Amino acid sequence: MPKHEVWTSVKIVAWTKEYLSAKGIENARLEAEWMLSAATGLNRVGLYLNYDKPLSDSELAVYRDMVSRRARREPLQHILGTQEFCGLEFEVSPDVLIPRHDTELLVTQTLLRSPPQASILDMGTGSGCIAITLAKRLPAAFVSASDISSDALSVARRNAIRNEVNVEFIQGALLSCVPDRKFSLIVSNPPYIPTADIDQLEPEVRDYDPWTALDGGADGLGIYRQLIPAAVDHLLPGGWLLVEIGIGQAHDVAECFTSIGRYQEPFVSLDEQGIERVVGAQIKERL
Ligand code: GLN
């Protein structure tokens, strides 16, 4: 960004669009506008109302730093510090997976099956986005959220406060941290990327999302193989287990539910792109 120019919003957004596009970033104009909003404290309409006003030196310094971080493919969400999910705002950091739009389907499918006073566990909560959204939409439910990472849980706790909901947070792996407890629904968006594929991911994901939030073992299915049988002992009568899955995993995950013989026929639901994204099943009544 040449130093001796007079930088107005219009000029700087145009310059950044070219610069970041050349670095392989797709929505460079929009991202430039978001960073400029954050640097100036103006919303996007405000930016264009002040389109010919030169930026101050301090605004420029903050903005320059953001653009150079983004040019190194640091995710925009880490630079801005937040991500929207199901209409709520979540703090994000390198300690948690950035909430994905695709994961909203898991929330929708859970809401369809949840009685108002359900007890719900979100296993591997990360930022807390699933648990907190469920707690917001089901005010009479009791929502718990677990994660193996205490750093992730700190972020999730702050997100519960930010969104004014009560969620019980528990540290631990899988279901060992909730011994003797049973839930109406257990939901999870576990790590499901096959280890060898992680290298192929976009730099924003590969280099900045926590490895433990991505790595699903050799074939990506490691957590499902443990969680699906383990959940049997943690579901109330009529309870459901719902999981998000990666591309091409529906058949194997559904098979995992079926092979145990303790669940009803699993359902598979598709995301907006027609990709199988959520698999779930209801526990069979014991005879
Ligand atoms: N539950 C969190 C989310 O969906 C974190 C998932 C994860 O870390 N794999 O965003």
Side-chain angles (χ1 to χ4, degrees):
M1 201 179 294
K3 281 231 154 123
H4 300 294
E5 293 267 349
V6 174
W7 289 105
T8 61
S9 336
V10 165
K11 217 153 120 185
I12 211 164
V13 166
W15 185 91
T16 313
K17 177 186 181 293
E18 294 307 316
Y19 180 68
L20 292 182
S21 299
K23 302 274 179 193
I25 290 162
E26 273 176 28
N27 296 315
R29 165 175 292 278
L30 207 55
E31 293 203 7
E33 290 173 354
W34 277 325
M35 289 188 281
L36 195 55
S37 288
T40 58
L42 294 169
N43 61 23
R44 285 174 51 223
V45 175
L47 286 182
Y48 284 96
L49 292 174
N50 292 285
Y51 70 98
D52 57 353
K53 189 170 146 240
L55 275 83
S56 72
D57 288 347
S58 61
E59 288 166 341
L60 266 178
V62 172
Y63 182 75
R64 266 205 191 92
D65 179 55
M66 290 177 160
V67 173
S68 61
R69 288 171 67 185
R70 189 67 189 102
R72 292 194 296 270
R73 304 293 296 265
E74 188 171 341
L76 181 70
Q77 294 88 339
H78 286 182
I79 297 167
L80 301 179
T82 58
Q83 168 65 31
E84 186 265 351
F85 180 83
C86 288
L88 301 175
E89 192 178 81
F90 291 87
E91 171 191 328
V92 293
S93 80
D95 292 321
V96 299
L97 187 85
I98 296 171
R100 307 296 205 269
H101 176 62
D102 293 336
T103 302
E104 295 182 352
L105 183 66
L106 180 59
V107 171
T108 316
Q109 291 297 320
T110 305
L111 290 172
L112 285 175
R113 292 168 175 84
S114 180
Q117 310 209 332
S119 57
I120 304 176
L121 174 70
D122 171 22
M123 199 285 289
T125 197
S127 65
C129 61
I130 299 170
I132 290 166
T133 308
L134 291 171
K136 198 84 184 172
R137 302 279 172 88
L138 297 165
F142 185 84
V143 181
S144 308
S146 68
D147 206 284
I148 193 167
S149 154
S150 58
D151 293 331
L153 285 176
S154 305
V155 175
R157 277 197 187 90
R158 287 197 291 278
N159 278 325
I161 295 168
R162 179 185 203 119
N163 286 293
E164 302 175 318
V165 291
N166 268 323
V167 171
E168 175 196 31
F169 291 102
I170 306 160
Q171 191 191 352
L174 292 163
L175 301 176
S176 59
C177 56
V178 285
D180 310 324
R181 296 216 12 216
K182 289 183 191 278
F183 303 90
S184 335
L185 296 111
I186 298 175
V187 301
S188 185
N189 173 24
Y192 53 65
I193 315 278
T195 310
D197 293 358
I198 297 180
D199 250 5
Q200 268 43 267
L201 300 173
E202 291 293 320
E204 285 86 346
V205 181
R206 182 190 65 212
D207 301 337
Y208 293 96
D209 272 323
W211 184 271
T212 46
L214 301 174
D215 185 8
D219 64 357
L221 303 171
I223 302 277
Y224 305 114
R225 286 200 193 93
Q226 298 178 67
L227 176 63
I228 296 172
V232 166
D233 294 326
H234 293 274
L235 287 171
L236 289 165
W240 290 85
L241 170 63
L242 281 84
V243 292
E244 178 171 316
I245 54 162
I247 295 176
Q249 295 176 335
H251 177 268
D252 288 339
V253 173
E255 178 60 31
C256 191
F257 274 103
T258 317
S259 65
I260 294 163
R262 298 288 306 277
Y263 292 93
Q264 319 251 20
E265 188 62 23
F267 75 89
V268 176
S269 59
L270 310 183
D271 67 18
E272 287 162 9
Q273 301 171 68
I275 297 170
E276 295 164 325
R277 187 56 71 188
V278 172
V279 180
Q282 190 170 25
I283 197 92
K284 276 184 185 166
E285 299 296 331
R286 293 206 90 164
L287 298 176

